[in-house]
Amino acid sequence: MSSNFLTLTNLRNLYLDFFVKKGHVIVPSASLVPENDPSTLFTSAGMQAMTPYFLGEKHPQGQKIANFQRCFRSEDIDRVGDNSHTTFFEMLGNWSFGDYFKKEQIEFFFEFLVDVLNLDPSHLYVSVFAGNKDLNIPRDEESAHLWQDLFQRKGVEAKIINNPRQGLQGGRIFFYDEEKNWWSRSGVPASMPVGELGGPDSEVFYDFAAIDDVQHFHQQSAFADQACHINCDCGRFLEIGNSVFMQYQRTQDGFKELAQKNIDFGGGLERLLTVVEGQSDVFQSSAFTGIIEKLVELSQKDYKEAQLQPAFRIIADHIRASVMLIADGVLPSNKEQGYLLRRLIRRSLRQAKHLNLEKEFLLDIVPEVIKLYQDLYPQLKAKEKHIDDVLKNEEQKFNRTLRRGLKEFNRLIVNKDQLTADLAFKLYESYGFPFELSIEEAKTRGIAIEEQIENKIAEANQQHAVLSRQSATEKFKGGLADHKDRTTAFHTATHLLQAALRRVLGDQVQQKGSNINVERLRFDFSYDQALSSEELAKIEQLLNQWLKNDLLVSSEILSKKEAIESGAIAFFADRYPDEVKVYTIGDPEDWVSKELCGGPHVEHTTQIARFGNLEIFKEKAVAEGVRRIYIRFKAI
Ligand code: SER
């Protein structure tokens, strides 16, 4: 196939079509903001929504699923700037819930790479898990030999190597320890909480040396004094897919095997596109060139200039991610998801200074992002104005912060003979003026800078973070199990709330969004006027009556058509697959609520009441025609 015809959309479709042919059913992407999972701010892997099915719950679509999942990894924010890391990306996934396992998975992925995408197998390298005796988890000889056989069938030599960090050694398949070849949401086995799922994995890497100069990657990198191996950070090898053999659960004293063996495959769409397009830089793939070209046009700078590349890449990544986050309902703020969004925008604006981009420019980038994704995420186009408004507002606000910070900088620095860490920290804390700018300002004006200022600022910052972490820990000392139960209770309460709103205000009420944490439930719905105190009281009374009545919560799997015909309401009807799970609250013949939903839910409404009565503590407008209600538990 000619790479010229591949776009993000085509490649995504090729992958999904391939897995449909292999008997998989496609399910849609979940939001970047997980609906009912207070343990994490963002969807950072496709597997987040899949845990119940690894444990044996029946997926409405069967045991073989394929999907693409938009993901955001805030932990990678500081790594953006090299040739491969991004905060936002789309993850291609295929899943086996107790169906196929290693053999089929390894064959599927190899076939997709080599026979569908026409990648040269001699440019591919593989890692497998070396095992851990203490944990009683065996070495993955099976995968190593499966890979070896596949390579050899294509006439490619495939030597297996046991000490991978000592260099390539003419090998193709490498045994790494759990730092590299174990996957769980919390990382290595030792950091996994009891109950968490994980397993050994096998990653595939593409060798950029096939298209670019090896020296440029390794000898000229910060890793030049170490041997280059497939997990080296020099940028020569790019991980393009990870097959996790999801078969273990953490217990008090080790691991137990799950009742079924599962596959969790995740592959970075933009990375695959890069490789297929013959590039050695994700930002030179067509997933990014539109954005980069726009930045080149606005700044009149050259992307090829090595010292400017990080700025181009950071802005491109961060604005793309910001657009996707805003489309999924995140607004800039000082906490949780909103804080990360604000950080992305502000970092982009700071990096823009390196490109001499002085005027407002964020809105010029938005159409380039929308162009890439509009066929798949039509909500982007529909929300373009909102996205523009949010970005513009934040851009202006930050520019004001910078001006004010600069003024304070001038005021505070007068009569001082140097910029100290204390001063930089104070400017940051009180005026939001970034440390880096204080240092840059001092440098350009020839003001002396306290020795080791960066380390000292980092220390002050760390101390600050420890203090806020401490208070967060105290806040959550209720215990994790309790959190989970509260969250589930709020989730069922969300359905009750929607039912109560519709009874009191009419059927035009429709859910627009929801968000749950351990302390409260937030619910957005369409309605064009403020609620009166009588209406609020009536809604609250209905909710608490339903808790008292101990209604049954039951679920069934129906076709989407049957579900809608039965009167079940759907939050985003067109986003659901053909077979759906429907939750009914109350007598199945005379129900209070019936909704399409993935769960989890309580089984009886008194399980909600054990945390207290439900209380509406705030109601306000969030946008034209959209109201927001907050509910919490009130001790009875
Ligand atoms: N869960 C694995 C990952 O995120 C594979 O999907 O990398």
Side-chain angles (χ1 to χ4, degrees), residues 274-286:
T274 306
V275 166
V276 171
E277 290 183 332
Q279 298 291 340
S280 59
D281 170 1
V282 172
F283 294 89
Q284 287 288 276
S285 77
S286 55

Side-chain angles (χ1 to χ4, degrees), residues 383-529:
K383 291 187 181 166
E384 187 166 4
K385 178 160 181 328
H386 169 67
I387 295 169
D388 280 355
D389 288 348
V390 172
L391 286 175
K392 191 168 171 188
N393 192 6
E394 196 62 17
E395 186 169 31
Q396 291 177 343
K397 215 153 89 199
F398 189 55
N399 285 339
R400 276 199 300 275
T401 302
L402 290 186
R403 277 198 297 273
R404 215 176 38 229
L406 218 49
K407 218 162 109 194
E408 284 310 312
F409 179 91
N410 290 334
R411 197 173 64 79
L412 293 171
I413 205 83
V414 166
N415 302 331
K416 300 252 168 27
D417 49 8
Q418 65 168 2
L419 173 72
T420 59
D422 279 351
L423 194 77
F425 195 71
K426 181 167 179 210
L427 279 164
Y428 167 69
E429 246 205 337
S430 325
Y431 304 99
F433 194 64
F435 313 129
E436 300 84 337
L437 290 189
S438 284
I439 297 174
E440 265 169 41
E441 262 328 292
K443 275 189 194 151
T444 39
R445 297 175 196 204
I447 299 170
I449 295 173
E450 184 182 7
E451 244 176 73
Q452 300 270 320
I453 190 164
E454 263 131 4
N455 293 344
K456 287 180 185 155
I457 291 174
E459 260 166 44
N461 209 12
Q462 227 162 37
Q463 213 167 6
H464 192 75
V466 169
L467 289 177
S468 33
R469 242 196 320 273
Q470 251 168 13
S471 76
T473 315
E474 271 154 32
K475 193 164 93 191
F476 290 131
K477 67 182 165 208
L480 273 176
D482 189 51
H483 285 184
K484 206 162 157 273
D485 292 345
R486 271 176 179 258
T487 319
T488 308
F490 272 140
H491 193 190
T492 309
T494 310
H495 288 211
L496 293 174
L497 175 60
Q498 174 148 235
L501 287 166
R502 287 163 74 100
R503 283 208 185 180
V504 175
L505 306 174
D507 281 352
Q508 75 272 33
V509 166
Q510 261 183 9
Q511 178 168 358
K512 288 284 165 210
S514 76
N515 174 285
I516 289 171
N517 65 30
V518 281
E519 280 153 336
R520 56 103 185 110
L521 140 67
R522 193 182 81 197
F523 186 82
D524 293 349
F525 60 101
S526 50
Y527 197 64
D528 50 17
Q529 64 199 57

Side-chain angles (χ1 to χ4, degrees), residues 122-127 157-176 205-210 214 218-219 226-232 234 236-238:
S122 71
H123 301 163
L124 302 176
Y125 291 78
V126 170
S127 66
E157 220 188 299
K159 198 167 126 192
I160 299 176
I161 302 290
N162 291 322
N163 46 357
R165 288 185 168 81
Q166 290 177 21
L168 291 178
Q169 307 161 68
R172 176 134 338 250
I173 297 158
F174 299 82
F175 275 108
Y176 280 89
F205 295 79
Y206 189 82
D207 183 5
F208 282 147
V214 188
H218 195 73
Q219 273 84 337
Q226 303 160 19
C228 185
H229 55 109
I230 61 173
N231 268 304
C232 179
C234 71
R236 168 174 168 184
F237 292 96
L238 181 73

Side-chain angles (χ1 to χ4, degrees), residues 63-87:
Q63 288 171 275
K64 296 195 276 187
I65 301 294
N67 70 347
F68 55 93
Q69 175 58 53
R70 46 191 195 274
C71 297
F72 179 78
R73 290 194 173 168
S74 55
E75 63 274 25
D76 282 344
I77 206 166
D78 293 320
R79 300 184 72 174
V80 180
D82 66 10
N83 64 338
S84 65
H85 283 90
T86 60
T87 53

Side-chain angles (χ1 to χ4, degrees), residues 106-371:
I106 287 174
E107 286 177 2
F108 285 157
F109 191 39
F110 191 75
E111 183 183 339
F112 180 67
L113 293 174
V114 175
D115 296 336
V116 179
L117 299 184
N118 279 337
L119 295 181
D120 182 338
S122 71
H123 301 163
L124 302 176
Y125 291 78
V126 170
S127 66
V128 289
F129 184 45
N132 182 321
K133 284 207 185 80
D134 297 340
L135 298 171
N136 217 3
I137 295 178
R139 185 177 175 81
D140 193 1
E141 295 287 353
E142 186 188 350
S143 296
H145 288 106
L146 285 165
W147 282 117
Q148 191 172 45
D149 186 45
L150 288 172
F151 278 110
Q152 284 172 351
R153 272 197 256 160
K154 292 279 178 191
V156 176
E157 220 188 299
K159 198 167 126 192
I160 299 176
I161 302 290
N162 291 322
N163 46 357
R165 288 185 168 81
Q166 290 177 21
L168 291 178
Q169 307 161 68
R172 176 134 338 250
I173 297 158
F174 299 82
F175 275 108
Y176 280 89
D177 60 18
E178 61 243 35
E179 287 289 333
K180 295 291 175 196
N181 279 83
W182 175 270
W183 204 91
S184 80
R185 274 177 65 182
S186 309
V188 293
S191 15
M192 289 168 67
V194 172
E196 191 168 272
L197 308 186
D201 63 13
S202 176
E203 299 187 317
V204 175
F205 295 79
Y206 189 82
D207 183 5
F208 282 147
I211 38 180
D212 210 334
D213 171 21
V214 188
Q215 309 282 331
H216 143 78
F217 287 113
H218 195 73
Q219 273 84 337
Q220 292 165 22
S221 79
F223 307 92
D225 57 342
Q226 303 160 19
C228 185
H229 55 109
I230 61 173
N231 268 304
C232 179
D233 284 317
C234 71
R236 168 174 168 184
F237 292 96
L238 181 73
E239 186 231 313
I240 52 176
N242 183 14
S243 301
V244 183
F245 308 119
M246 198 54 93
Q247 67 188 113
Y248 295 102
Q249 184 167 32
R250 181 90 178 133
T251 59
Q252 285 294 351
D253 42 14
F255 280 91
K256 74 167 188 217
E257 288 239 20
L258 296 176
Q260 65 185 45
K261 289 190 165 55
N262 307 289
I263 292 292
D264 155 14
F265 169 80
L269 176 62
E270 297 85 343
R271 289 182 171 199
L272 269 173
L273 186 67
T274 306
V275 166
V276 171
E277 290 183 332
Q279 298 291 340
S280 59
D281 170 1
V282 172
F283 294 89
Q284 287 288 276
S285 77
S286 55
F288 276 102
T289 41
I291 306 175
I292 299 281
E293 277 162 19
K294 191 73 191 171
L295 287 171
V296 167
E297 178 195 318
L298 293 169
S299 65
Q300 296 291 308
K301 298 272 181 211
D302 186 359
Y303 178 75
K304 294 268 175 304
E305 259 188 68
Q307 78 274 22
L308 294 183
Q309 268 180 357
F312 274 110
R313 290 167 175 171
I314 293 170
I315 301 171
D317 169 75
H318 287 10
I319 299 308
R320 187 178 75 136
S322 300
V323 169
M324 300 309 274
L325 286 171
I326 298 168
D328 270 349
V330 181
L331 291 171
S333 75
N334 286 331
K335 54 179 202 204
E336 298 175 344
Q337 288 94 346
Y339 168 72
L340 258 305
L341 172 60
R342 175 159 283 167
R343 212 171 138 204
L344 291 174
I345 300 173
R346 294 188 164 194
R347 260 185 123 221
S348 309
L349 295 171
R350 283 205 329 262
Q351 290 294 326
K353 306 271 174 269
H354 297 298
L355 303 182
N356 287 349
L357 269 170
E358 292 298 342
K359 32 179 224 13
E360 289 174 18
F361 72 98
L362 297 184
L363 299 204
D364 293 318
I365 311 295
V366 177
E368 297 301 328
V369 181
I370 293 185
K371 232 189 275 171

Side-chain angles (χ1 to χ4, degrees), residues 25-40:
V25 177
I26 299 172
V27 300
S29 170
S31 165
L32 283 170
V33 182
E35 287 266 306
N36 297 298
D37 186 352
S39 66
T40 174

